[in-house]
Amino acid sequence: MTTLNDFIEEQLQDPVFKEKYDALEPEFTVMQAMIDARKEKGMTQKELAEVTGISQADISRLERGTGNPSLRTLQRVAQALQMALKIEFVPVQEPRAGRP
């Protein structure tokens, strides 16, 4: 039986799929960081919603990647998790000649 990770790895061999997948990486990173931080604090989505004043449905949307959070929303979540929000601009790594 093929796992989801195996399927994704296979699909990543397609340059068009890889480009679109890579473009979503920042969103996946934010979603996973939020989930990890909430779980690290031992909080449920409902508890996080109560502390932030953001509905549990909206917390769920953020964690699923179907929400489009503002910077202010991310700050509220970070504050509720007793964390600092850090957003960085980093140089794009250009592929070296002869390497993908």
Side-chain angles (χ1 to χ4, degrees), residues 19-87:
E19 180 181 344
K20 292 179 188 264
Y21 184 86
D22 289 346
L24 293 172
E25 191 270 333
E27 291 177 49
F28 291 140
T29 300
V30 170
M31 292 165 24
Q32 194 61 54
M34 186 173 157
I35 293 166
D36 292 346
R38 179 179 57 76
K39 288 183 175 181
E40 183 180 305
K41 295 293 181 180
M43 297 176 79
T44 64
Q45 287 183 349
K46 183 179 179 180
E47 291 168 333
L48 182 57
E50 290 169 359
V51 174
T52 60
I54 300 168
S55 74
Q56 187 273 326
D58 285 340
I59 297 291
S60 177
R61 284 184 197 96
L62 294 174
E63 290 188 359
R64 285 193 327 264
T66 58
N68 188 14
S70 67
L71 183 55
R72 178 69 187 126
T73 297
L74 292 175
Q75 288 171 323
R76 287 169 59 190
V77 170
Q79 184 177 24
L81 295 169
Q82 300 174 328
M83 299 203 160
L85 178 63
K86 179 181 178 183
I87 298 174

Side-chain angles (χ1 to χ4, degrees), residues 7-27:
F7 176 76
I8 291 172
E9 286 299 319
E10 181 180 313
Q11 296 303 306
L12 287 171
Q13 302 308 307
D14 175 359
V16 174
F17 180 90
K18 181 170 179 13
E19 180 181 344
K20 292 179 188 264
Y21 184 86
D22 289 346
L24 293 172
E25 191 270 333
E27 291 177 49

